Structure formats: C-alpha cells, structure tokens
Amino acid sequence: MSESAGNKPDEVPRLTALSHGGGCGCKIAPGVLAELLRDTPAVARFADLIVGRETADDAAVYRINATQAIVATTDFFMPIVDDPFDFGRIAATNALSDIYAMGARPLFALAIVGMPINVLPGAVIREILRGGEAVCSAAGIPIAGGHSIDSVEPIYGLAAIGLIDPQQVKRNSGARDDDVLVLGKPLGVGIYSAAYKKGLLDDDGYRALIAATTQLNRPGIELAQLDSVHALTDVTGFGLLGHLLEICRGSGLGASIDAAKIPLLAQAMRFAQDGVVTGASARNWQSYGGDVALSPTLAPVYRALLTDPQTSGGLLVACSADAVTHVMDLFASAGFAGATAIGSMKAGSSSILVS
C-alpha cells in the first residue's frame, strides 16, 4: 500500500489529514464562483489587457509592446498527498501549467505559503518549499520571493509570471467549427487522490499519480506557435467537461466527445465503479450538468470520470484537423505518451454531447 496509511499518535500528522480538501478539488464550484463574481467591475477599459476574466481563461495577459506581453497567474491549494516534497512539486507544476496553457514561457515565480506553524515541524515545511523549488528549477526559472502566513490548514502554491508575443497568445475562446480536441494527459487524478486518502492506492498507483501531476505542460509553448491551434486551456478542478464548456462558451460553439477515446489513469475506471470519487465531482456536475448531454448508452460511471477534478491536468487543444498529427507529435516528443484526440467542436449552442 502507499504511504497513506494512518500515522501513530506520536508521529508528525499526515498533510492530507490537516485539510478539508486537496489539490484542485479545493476549488470553489464553478456555479458558486460565477455567482460570487457576478457583480465585479468590468476591466474592458484597459486597452492593453489582452486577456482578463471575461472567458474564465487560465491567466491574465497584459501587452507591454508590439512583441511582448506579460502573462500572470496564481494557483495554490491544500495537500493532495502526504509526502511534503511531492506536495510541493505538484502544487508548483499545477501553477506553472496556466502559463503554458496560454502559450507563454515562464520567467519567475513567487511562493504562496500558509502553514500551521505549531503543528508541522520546520523540516516538513522546508521539504514542501524544496519540492516547489525543484519544479521551478526544472522549468528553468527562479522562485524570486513570496509571502507566508500562519494558517490553520497547509497551503502552498505560486504566483507565476511568463512572457509571450501578443500575436501568439492562445485563449480558451478561439476554437472553430470542426476543430479536433486533443487531451494531453489522462484523467483520474481526483479519483486517485480519493483512493489515496482511503488507503486504497497501491505503490504503482501512487507513482502514476506523481508522474502525471509533476509533468510540466511545456508543449504549450510550441503549440502557441502554430496558427492551426485555435484554442488552448488546461484541465484542472472543474474536470474535463467544465473546462471544455469554457472553450464552448468563449468560442460560441458546441462540442462532442467520444468517451471511449478519453485516456484514463490505469485504475481510475475501477475506482470510480466502486464509488471512490471526490465530492468536487458532484459539485461540478451540479454546476454545469444542464449543458451536458450524456448518451443513454454510456455507462453511468462516465459522469464521475468526466467531472473528476484534475490537479496539474493535461492541456486541452482545439486545432484544425490537418494539424492533429503535428500536435500529437509535439506531445509525444515531450514525453506525453497518453495524448489523444477525443472529439471535436461543432456549430450550435454552447453544450457538450458525450457518446
């Protein structure tokens, strides 16, 4: 079994036992978030703000001049695993993913740290920070500073800054009719994290979880340079359906996906069939299920799989049909063996058909 087994009373508490949720499953449900933001002021009057919050895109983009724009994002959450080094790595990888999802190259990051100082030993907290530093080092950027607070629950993440040519920014709102949808990583991270908390995830499963959540979405930089890539996002806490709906709504299109083609972590289907899922999955469906049509022939378990909150999930690409091979080759050359074409964009209402 993985290291998720309960600790003895005199041992350091498990990180996951100190938080009410973990990873991107901590995100506020999309319907609730939309209501909270309903009356916030518009930012359209800032002419150089190329990307704001209007289509729930992955990061803000602010034009500096004709050839440079700053990309800025922040992401943080409570632990998804108990190993502090792995937690730091996952959180940092997840934060940098939003930079890559806009097509940008990361420049530097600032650490966001909230820790229960009187509960966790300094050595554990230092390991979390070291995990984040290791990922940023692999991405070729420094953690240049940050902010810390004494918090009831352990929280870690990054504010990340990137740079891009304004002409190459890839939004989640540029998809076109008949674009093919390519998913870069398999689904099932939320389900695996639920299994981990229950002590059901074996060592192979844990290694697969860490491998998926610490793989940097670097292909976003090269994808942004392709005119045939029309929209780009990453799949995180709202699940595949939630983030695909953001593409649909921003682009004024619908989408259809083939459930049988969707890549899954090896044990995700079995766990989901056994009811090992996160509470965030049900919250996601409640928020946007009205815009999703599931084929009556589809196994009921797919609802949990397609709404499963991903932490540091894969890129979701909308590209022209003649570019699919090139896109897949880019993913493969970067070590994303599971990248798969899963469906297409269609003219019509902003809804999704799953068959």
Side-chain angles (χ1 to χ4, degrees), residues 73-78 87-88 91-92 95 109-115 125 128-129 132 143-149 151 153-160:
T73 185
T74 182
D75 216 313
F76 51 89
F77 46 61
M78 283 84 82
F87 169 42
L110 304 173
I112 299 167
V113 183
M115 293 292 155
I125 298 172
I128 295 171
L129 301 181
I143 295 181
H147 185 66
S148 61
I149 61 170
S151 171
E153 296 179 285
I155 296 168
Y156 180 70
L158 301 175

Side-chain angles (χ1 to χ4, degrees), residues 88-97 135 185 213-217 312:
R89 293 168 66 207
I90 293 167
T93 306
N94 179 76
L96 293 179
S97 182
V135 163
K185 289 184 184 182
T213 54
T214 59
Q215 187 174 26
L216 288 163
N217 278 322
S312 190

Side-chain angles (χ1 to χ4, degrees), residues 274-301:
D274 291 342
V276 181
V277 298
T278 71
S281 181
R283 293 193 297 273
N284 282 341
W285 181 258
Q286 184 178 17
S287 294
Y288 55 66
D291 291 325
V292 179
L294 301 178
S295 168
T297 63
L298 197 66
V301 71

Side-chain angles (χ1 to χ4, degrees), residues 133-167:
E133 290 162 358
V135 163
C136 288
S137 177
I141 65 169
I143 295 181
H147 185 66
S148 61
I149 61 170
D150 189 351
S151 171
V152 174
E153 296 179 285
I155 296 168
Y156 180 70
L158 301 175
I161 304 298
L163 189 67
I164 193 170
D165 184 326
Q167 301 302 315

